[in-house]
């Protein structure tokens, strides 16, 4: 395409609202435009990159035996009530009322819709397995949309759902998707790692996330220094101690101390001159299994996904001020386990040492010299904290965990029979017995893949896009459009590239060469062919590879063959 007729507006200045490199570059390269918080339009250059990723996804999904469908974005509440998620999905679900008073939601995911379709169509084991996927717009009312399309409220997802007759089949479906994801992300030019993950509100019993390694990633991955274990922070286990029991405590008693205004770990530590590791944080939670307290060391963080698993609850939230007051007789900041009559779960790291400083269940008071084994009634011990750098590996004796950051681009879940049972998706097995279908679901954030690829492929000057997802793999850049032979040669090269199916930009703008070079770098075009009067006199044009910066001189007659040789085998272009 000719640059002069492209709907493409680049900008030099770095937009202030953008924190990460991909967001900055996508705005500067005119790929996306914000409409409202977490809601973006794709402009032509951005959409082309998105379509490249979609094509790779479609090819690999089809090759893995999945079939494409397109499901509605608006979903009736009845289905969500059947699955039991209408009341537990929370505020990310944007709910709507139609003119007749019917309740609907903007689909954040499509387990219910697809299960409803499959249960109506499939009745026998002979029709299984089946895997259906779509590439479609999701809406999640994210609490903190940020980083542009990386964490948006409206975003495009590829979601696939598999239905199998038995566990072995379900394993195979999962495996096939896992392999397809490895191919998809490799073809997109990403450095990634598959890690064990928590299933969250989608449910199910097993899952892996595909993480693109990037320092700006929102996710923390813990990976073992010596074995293959890797998990996201929500899921990462910590090697279990040999036995779960508190250390014996000396005889004696605790001491109540006045700590006016000291509520946070830092404030209390400073006031009493103790280290955070000698303090117990007591957090009061409400859940569908009642109110309870979670206890962790002052220098540790509660892991709510682990807490959910320990309690077997779905909904879990930090208690509000009134609930805290009711159970601790004190405002927020002074809760402690001594004398507390609600259920208590303590993190296993707390059994290692004592004595501790704890909240006094009285405004402006804490207790010193507390031994949990001596001074606190019934406490359950379990792993309820976030793992961190240096913790022992849960799988091998030798290793310890290293913390790295990543961007979650894909997620594969074994759902089991959670939805098929709740929504009655049954089939007759070989013996004529009615059985629930065994499901899996598999998501990829398509826009997030584009953003993650930019995050990994960028330098000070702009994007360094991999050929497989670059909107235009080649740009022809005539230095001076008014010089007849320069423009003539550039146009001839451009026409021939286009004829060979290589999508090319011809920068036909009558602007300073510096402006053109800057745009070419910003846009991340993998190969830039510069045509200038001086070079033509020597019988050459210059071709620069954006990712490496290497420049080669090639004759105008050979440049098209040169490009197609470079691009072939680099996926679709
Ligand atoms: P996250 O932990 O990042 O919120 P999730 O676990 O909620 O992700 P899934 O429900 O597994 O995400 O969705 C499948 C994929 O959709 C994710 O792997 C991610 O790539 C993408 N995705 C999820 N939420 C968003 C969002 N708000 N904006 C863009 N992409 C998203
Ligand atoms: Mg989410």
């Amino acid at each position: 395409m000719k640059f002069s007729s492209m709907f493409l507006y680049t900008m030099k200045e770095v937009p202030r609202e953008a924190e990460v490199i991909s967001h900055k570059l996508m705005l500067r390269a005119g790929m996306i435009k914000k409409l409202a918080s977490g809601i973006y339009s794709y402009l032509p250059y951005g959409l082309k990159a998105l379509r490249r990723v979609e094509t790779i996804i479609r090819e690999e999904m089809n090759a893995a035996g999945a079939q494409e469908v397109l499901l509605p974005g608006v979903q009736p509440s009845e289905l969500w009530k059947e699955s039991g998620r209408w009341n537990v999905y929370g505020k990310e679900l944007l709910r709507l009322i139609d003119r007749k008073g019917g309740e609907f939601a903007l689909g954040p995911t499509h387990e219910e819709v697809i299960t409803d379709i499959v249960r109506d169509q499939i009745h026998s084991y002979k029709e299984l397995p089946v895997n259906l996927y779509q590439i479609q717009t999701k809406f999640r009312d994210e609490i903190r949309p940020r980083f542009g399309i990386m964490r948006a409220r409206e975003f495009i997802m590829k979601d696939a759902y598999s239905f199998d007759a038995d566990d072995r089949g379900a394993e195979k479906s999962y495996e096939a998707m896992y392999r397809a994801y490895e191919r998809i992300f490799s073809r997109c030019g990403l450095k990634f790692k598959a890690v064990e993950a928590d299933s969250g509100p989608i449910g199910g019993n097993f899952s892996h996330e595909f993480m693109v390694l990037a320092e700006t990633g929102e996710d923390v991955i813990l990976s073992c220094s010596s074995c293959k274990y890797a998990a996201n922070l929500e899921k990462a286990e910590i090697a279990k101690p040999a036995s779960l029991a508190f250390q014996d405590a000396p005889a004696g008693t605790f001491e109540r101390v006045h700590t006016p205004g000291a509520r946070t770990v830092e404030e209390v530590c400073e006031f009493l001159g103790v280290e955070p590791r000698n303090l117990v944080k007591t957090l009061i939670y409400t859940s569908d299994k009642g109110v309870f307290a979670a206890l962790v060391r002052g220098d540790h963080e509660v892991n709510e996904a682990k807490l959910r698993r320990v309690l077997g609850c779905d909904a879990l939230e930090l208690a509000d001020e009134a609930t805290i007051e009711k159970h601790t007789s004190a405002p927020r900041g002074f809760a402690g386990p001594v004398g507390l009559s609600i259920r208590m779960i303590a993190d296993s790291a707390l059994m290692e040492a004592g004595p501790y400083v704890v909240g006094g269940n009285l405004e402006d008071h804490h207790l010193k010299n507390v031994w949990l084994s001596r001074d606190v009634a019934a406490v359950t011990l379990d792993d309820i904290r976030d793992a961190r750098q240096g913790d022992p590996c849960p799988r091998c004796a030798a290793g310890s965990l290293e913390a790295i950051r990543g961007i979650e681009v894909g997620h594969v879940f074994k759902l089991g029979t959670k939805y098929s049972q709740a929504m009655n998706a049954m089939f007759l097995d070989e013996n004529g017995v009615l059985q629930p279908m065994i499901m899996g679901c598999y998501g990829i954030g398509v826009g997030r893949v584009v953003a993650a690829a930019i995050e990994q492929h960028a330098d000070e000057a702009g994007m360094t896009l991999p050929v497989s997802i670059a909107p235009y793999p080649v740009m022809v850049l005539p230095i001076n459009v008014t010089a007849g032979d320069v423009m003539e040669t550039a146009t001839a090269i451009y026409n021939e590239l286009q004829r060979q199916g290589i999508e090319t930009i011809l920068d036909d703008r009558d602007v300073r060469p510096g402006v053109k070079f800057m745009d070419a770098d910003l846009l991340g075009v993998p190969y830039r062919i510069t045509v200038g009067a001086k070079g033509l006199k020597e019988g050459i044009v210059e071709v620069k590879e954006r990712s490496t910066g290497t420049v080669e001189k090639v004759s105008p007659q050979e440049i098209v063959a040169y490009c197609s040789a470079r691009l072939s085998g680099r996926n679709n272009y």
Side-chain angles (χ1 to χ4, degrees):
M1 184 143 200
K2 290 185 176 155
F3 205 127
S4 60
S5 45
M6 286 170 83
F7 188 84
L8 175 62
Y9 299 90
T10 59
M11 50 173 140
K12 259 207 223 125
E13 2 14 282
V14 179
R16 255 189 300 138
E17 79 262 29
E19 297 164 69
V20 296
I21 189 85
S22 56
H23 189 195
K24 286 177 190 162
L25 289 175
M26 291 190 86
L27 290 172
R28 286 188 55 210
M31 298 174 90
I32 54 169
K33 187 167 190 319
K34 182 170 159 181
L35 177 65
S37 167
I39 303 182
Y40 284 82
S41 304
Y42 280 88
L43 303 181
Y45 197 71
L47 186 63
K48 255 177 134 49
L50 186 84
R51 294 280 185 251
R52 295 263 192 247
V53 172
E54 287 180 357
T55 301
I56 293 173
I57 292 175
R58 279 204 176 86
E59 286 175 5
E60 295 298 341
M61 292 304 290
N62 295 343
Q67 296 172 61
E68 189 166 358
V69 292
L70 183 57
L71 309 176
V74 176
Q75 307 182 7
S77 65
E78 287 76 30
L79 283 182
W80 284 72
K81 285 177 183 159
E82 253 191 83
S83 72
R85 286 207 290 186
W86 184 251
N87 291 323
V88 297
Y89 206 89
K91 293 186 177 149
E92 272 189 25
L93 191 66
L94 188 67
R95 292 155 215 253
L96 316 165
I97 307 283
D98 75 2
R99 63 165 76 200
K100 293 186 185 137
E103 287 174 313
F104 292 84
L106 282 187
T109 173
H110 279 73
E111 283 78 10
E112 282 82 358
V113 177
I114 200 79
T115 305
D116 178 55
I117 292 172
V118 171
R119 72 178 167 185
D120 284 351
Q121 302 298 332
I122 290 187
H123 302 288
S124 157
Y125 72 94
K126 289 182 197 148
E127 297 161 280
L128 294 172
V130 64
N131 185 331
L132 301 171
Y133 79 96
Q134 63 170 341
I135 295 179
Q136 183 261 7
T137 301
K138 301 280 183 273
F139 195 95
R140 294 181 181 178
D141 202 354
E142 298 274 356
I143 188 164
R144 232 189 126 197
R146 57 186 188 150
F147 306 155
I149 56 165
M150 193 93 94
R151 179 165 300 282
R153 295 198 297 161
E154 183 173 310
F155 60 96
I156 295 166
M157 195 198 286
K158 185 287 297 178
D159 44 331
Y161 305 88
S162 65
F163 296 81
D164 275 274
D166 54 30
D167 284 326
R168 256 200 64 230
E171 295 274 328
K172 274 170 77 181
S173 297
Y174 187 87
E175 180 79 12
M177 285 296 104
Y178 188 103
R179 299 282 165 239
Y181 276 32
E182 288 183 319
R183 287 192 296 274
I184 289 168
F185 298 129
S186 304
R187 285 183 61 185
C188 290
L190 296 168
K191 280 197 269 322
F192 65 93
K193 200 175 178 84
V195 308
E196 291 180 22
D198 188 67
S199 306
I202 305 271
N205 41 27
F206 194 71
S207 79
H208 282 93
E209 283 171 355
F210 286 77
M211 296 284 194
V212 165
L213 308 179
E215 269 171 33
T216 50
E218 287 186 290
D219 289 289
V220 174
I221 305 161
L222 281 304
S223 81
C224 178
S225 54
S226 81
C227 76
K228 280 199 165 148
Y229 180 75
N232 76 6
L233 182 64
E234 283 186 336
K235 171 86 178 190
E237 302 155 43
I238 299 161
K240 283 211 162 43
S243 68
L244 273 179
F246 285 114
Q247 272 183 8
D248 284 340
T253 182
F254 57 84
E255 183 191 335
R256 185 183 303 273
V257 286
H258 190 216
T259 51
R263 290 162 190 265
T264 65
V265 171
E266 294 70 37
E267 287 162 357
V268 176
C269 286
E270 177 156 353
F271 193 87
L272 296 175
V274 294
E275 292 298 316
R277 56 179 299 123
N278 302 123
L279 191 132
V280 176
K281 268 197 285 204
T282 305
L283 298 163
I284 312 294
Y285 280 94
T286 51
S287 77
D288 52 334
K289 296 273 158 68
V291 177
F292 65 93
L295 277 51
V296 290
R297 234 166 61 183
D299 58 334
H300 288 156
E301 298 301 329
V302 170
N303 180 309
E304 292 186 356
K306 289 182 179 177
L307 253 190
R308 269 201 192 93
R309 279 195 294 275
V310 172
L311 290 160
C313 67
D314 286 321
L316 176 78
E317 230 174 29
L318 277 171
D320 58 21
E321 203 68 40
T323 311
I324 295 174
E325 290 241 24
K326 178 170 165 216
H327 292 280
T328 70
S329 325
R332 191 188 299 278
F334 302 100
V338 178
L340 206 58
S341 55
I342 50 177
R343 184 173 171 197
M344 288 183 267
I345 322 272
D347 179 62
S348 42
L350 285 171
M351 70 188 202
E352 285 166 14
Y356 289 107
V357 168
V358 307
N361 296 328
L362 176 65
E363 183 159 11
D364 288 343
H365 285 81
H366 280 80
L367 307 181
K368 260 169 53 172
N369 224 5
V370 169
W371 288 81
L372 295 177
S373 56
R374 185 190 67 192
D375 303 320
V376 177
V379 183
T380 313
L381 273 169
D382 216 314
D383 172 12
I384 59 162
R385 72 171 169 98
D386 283 344
R388 61 184 188 185
Q389 177 95 17
D391 277 328
C393 172
R395 294 285 181 278
C396 74
S400 64
L401 299 178
E402 286 168 2
I404 46 173
R405 299 196 81 87
I407 300 165
E408 180 198 325
V409 285
H411 202 165
V412 291
F413 295 86
K414 275 184 200 160
L415 287 174
T417 56
K418 180 180 155 118
Y419 294 91
S420 46
Q421 226 135 29
M423 296 181 63
N424 205 27
M426 311 292 279
F427 69 98
L428 285 172
D429 72 9
E430 282 170 73
N431 306 313
V433 180
L434 213 50
Q435 303 273 8
M437 298 178 203
I438 302 176
M439 292 173 60
C441 76
Y442 317 93
I444 293 180
V446 187
R448 197 182 280 185
V449 168
V450 175
I454 296 171
E455 205 64 32
Q456 274 191 347
H457 297 279
D459 59 22
E460 312 71 51
M463 298 184 274
T464 57
L465 291 174
V467 167
S468 58
I469 66 168
Y472 298 86
V474 181
M475 176 186 268
V476 181
L477 194 153
I479 297 266
N480 181 349
V481 295
T482 51
D485 56 339
V486 169
M487 200 53 195
E488 219 167 84
T489 308
T491 307
I493 294 170
Y494 165 74
N495 285 338
E496 185 55 20
L497 285 164
Q498 293 278 90
R499 209 183 57 76
Q500 298 209 4
I502 298 173
E503 287 206 64
T504 305
I505 300 175
L506 174 65
D507 194 346
D508 59 339
R509 295 174 300 167
D510 188 7
V511 294
R512 281 187 294 113
V515 173
K516 294 188 180 189
F517 290 139
M518 251 167 35
D519 276 340
D521 280 349
L522 173 63
L523 295 172
V525 180
Y527 291 95
R528 186 191 78 198
I529 301 167
T530 307
V531 185
K534 196 164 147 256
L536 287 185
K537 261 190 215 131
E538 295 165 27
I540 57 110
V541 295
E542 275 185 1
V543 52
K544 180 179 151 190
E545 188 174 58
R546 178 69 179 91
S547 58
T548 58
T550 49
V551 177
E552 285 194 62
K553 295 183 165 144
V554 182
S555 80
Q557 294 74 34
E558 282 161 26
I559 187 66
V560 174
Y562 173 99
C563 287
S564 75
R566 286 297 164 111
L567 296 172
S568 75
R570 307 273 290 273
N571 305 315
N572 38 38
Y573 53 82

